[in-house]
Amino acid sequence: MQNRGPSNWKMRFAVQLIVLLYLPVAALAGPADRSISPTNIFAPVSTPAHSILGLSLFVLAVTAAIFVIVFSLLVYCVARFGKRADDDGREPPQVYGSTQVELAWTVIPILIVVVLFMATARVIASIQKGARPANAIQVIAIGHQFWWEYRYPGLKVVTANELHVPVSDPAHPTPTFITLLSADTDHSFWVPRLAGKTDLIPNHANTMWIDPQQTGLYLGQCAQYCGTQHAKMLLRVYVQSREEFNRWIEEQSQVAHANPAVSEGQRIFKATACINCHGVTGTVADGSFGPDLTHLMSRETIASGAAPNTPENLRLWIQNPDAIKPGSKMPAMGLSDQELDAVTAYLATLR
C-alpha cells in the first residue's frame, strides 16, 4: 500500500510549489518577442515611456519581494505546524499583545507605501517638468466622439486621426509637446511605447510630451470610455525622419487642388450637407464638426483607424457609415449610385 504519511504529502507539496513559482519566473527571464504587440509597454522608445517602465519594474520588484516573503512564511507555517499523527487536537497556547509584531506589521507596510509614493512622485514630476526647447514641435490634439483632430499651430496644418512627428535624435532632441483638449466628453490619449495616459477633459487643457527615438508607426487607444465607439477610437502616431516630416508638413500646408476630371463630384459634394461638417481648404467647405478632408487620401486609414483608406471603403463609408463603425454619428447622404461614384472620385483626389 502507498505511504501517504506526513513526510510524503509535504514532499509533493514542495515539488508542486517549486514548479508553480518557476514557470512565471522562466517566462519573464526568457527572451521577449517585442513584435507580439505594437502597444508593448516593455519596448519603450521615448523618454516618458522609459521612465514609466523603470517605475513599473521597481514596483513589480517590490511587490514580488513581498509575495515571496509572505508566501514563504505561509509555506513554512503549513509545513512546520501542520497536523501530526500524535496531535491530541487541543488548541495550542495563544499569545496576545505582542508589541514587536504589531509594530512590524504596521511600520513596514507604511515604509513600503512611502517608498512607492516617493518613487512615483519623482517620475511624475520629472515628466511634467520636461524642458521645452525652442525647436520643439507643438501640436494641439482635440478628442471628438469618435475621432482625433490634430492642429500644428506654428506650421498651419490641420489633419485628423494620424499624428505625424519627427524623430528625436538624442544628439539633437526634437520633442513634441501636445496640448490635449476635448470637444465633448472625457477622452484619454495613450500610446504605450511613447508615453503614459493623459486625459482630455472638457474645458480643461492638459499637456504631455514625447521624444520618440526610433522612426516607425506607434499605435494607441483612447483609454477613457467615451461612448459607443470608444473601442474604435484608435491612435496612430507616425514618427518620421526630419526630412520626411518637413516634406509632409509642406504637402499638408497646401490648399486642395481641384481636378477638372472630377468636377461633377466636387459640385455634388458642395451641394450636400457634407460641407456642414467637413472642411476642404480652398473651397466653400469649412465645417469643423468632422475631420478635415483637404488631404484625405494622404492618410492610410479612415474612420479613426477602423478601416484602410481605399476608394472602396471610402464609398462604403459615405453610403453607410454604420457598415464600418456601427452607431456612427455621421448620417448617410442618401445619394444615388452615380452620385456616390462621383463624390468618391472627387474625394479620392484630395492628397
Side-chain angles (χ1 to χ4, degrees):
M1 183 178 293
Q2 185 179 3
N3 182 7
R4 296 184 180 273
S7 60
N8 238 18
W9 78 260
K10 290 179 181 178
M11 180 63 69
R12 291 197 304 273
F13 179 77
V15 171
Q16 293 170 356
L17 178 62
I18 292 172
V19 172
L20 179 65
L21 293 177
Y22 172 76
L23 289 178
V25 171
L28 288 175
D33 182 2
R34 294 188 175 184
S35 65
I36 291 177
S37 171
T39 56
N40 187 354
I41 64 171
F42 296 105
V45 295
S46 179
T47 299
H50 277 289
S51 299
I52 292 171
L53 175 61
L55 174 63
S56 300
L57 294 178
F58 173 70
V59 173
L60 180 61
V62 171
T63 53
I66 295 173
F67 170 80
V68 170
I69 293 172
V70 172
F71 200 81
S72 298
L73 291 174
L74 175 62
V75 172
Y76 171 77
C77 291
V78 170
R80 175 69 176 81
F81 303 106
K83 186 175 181 179
R84 293 176 173 80
D86 58 349
D87 193 344
D88 58 9
R90 290 185 300 177
E91 184 179 28
Q94 302 297 300
V95 178
Y96 299 97
S98 173
T99 303
Q100 293 83 356
V101 172
E102 292 181 0
L103 282 175
W105 70 40
T106 301
V107 173
I108 293 176
I110 290 176
L111 291 177
I112 293 173
V113 170
V114 170
V115 169
L116 294 179
F117 170 80
M118 295 300 293
T120 303
R122 182 182 63 82
V123 171
I124 292 175
S126 66
I127 293 175
Q128 290 185 340
K129 294 180 180 179
R132 180 181 300 193
N135 64 336
I137 304 299
Q138 297 186 35
V139 179
I140 299 175
I142 306 173
H144 298 260
Q145 290 179 308
F146 299 93
W147 59 284
W148 299 96
E149 177 181 2
Y150 299 115
R151 295 181 174 270
Y152 298 72
L155 303 172
K156 299 181 180 180
V157 168
V158 178
T159 186
N161 297 322
E162 298 181 357
L163 177 63
H164 290 249
V165 300
V167 68
S168 183
D169 184 355
H172 303 89
T174 310
T176 299
F177 282 76
I178 307 173
T179 300
L180 302 171
L181 306 174
S182 174
D184 33 57
T185 186
D186 289 354
H187 302 281
S188 191
F189 193 99
W190 186 38
V191 183
R193 297 187 65 188
L194 300 181
K197 302 176 188 176
T198 305
D199 287 347
L200 293 78
I201 303 172
N203 302 315
H204 177 80
N206 275 338
T207 59
M208 65 179 297
W209 63 277
I210 57 177
D211 61 339
Q213 291 136 20
Q214 295 179 19
T215 59
L217 171 61
Y218 300 96
L219 304 181
Q221 171 73 51
C222 174
Q224 175 70 32
Y225 181 73
C226 55
T228 56
Q229 294 179 34
H230 159 70
K232 291 188 175 180
M233 192 170 171
L234 309 178
L235 281 159
R236 299 173 67 88
V237 180
Y238 292 83
V239 180
Q240 302 170 302
S241 66
R242 188 69 202 204
E243 294 74 19
E244 291 177 340
F245 177 74
N246 289 340
R247 184 164 55 250
W248 180 82
I249 288 292
E250 183 179 358
E251 294 170 353
Q252 294 291 310
S253 61
Q254 304 297 317
V255 299
H257 297 289
N259 189 330
V262 293
S263 58
E264 178 63 13
Q266 185 182 35
R267 182 192 66 78
I268 297 172
F269 175 81
K270 292 179 180 179
T272 64
C274 299
I275 62 175
N276 294 333
C277 295
H278 298 282
V280 178
T281 57
T283 72
V284 296
D286 59 356
S288 59
F289 185 77
D292 187 282
L293 303 180
T294 304
H295 299 284
L296 170 64
M297 299 310 291
S298 68
R299 304 166 196 162
E300 293 186 358
T301 62
I302 58 174
S304 192
N309 188 8
T310 64
E312 295 75 20
N313 284 338
L314 184 59
R315 187 184 191 280
L316 180 63
W317 173 249
I318 300 171
Q319 181 181 21
N320 181 17
D322 279 348
I324 293 180
K325 294 183 76 170
S328 172
K329 286 188 173 183
M330 176 181 169
M333 291 296 102
L335 303 175
S336 66
D337 287 343
Q338 293 78 8
E339 291 172 328
L340 276 171
D341 290 338
V343 171
T344 302
Y346 165 64
L347 294 179
T349 65
L350 301 179
R351 297 185 180 276

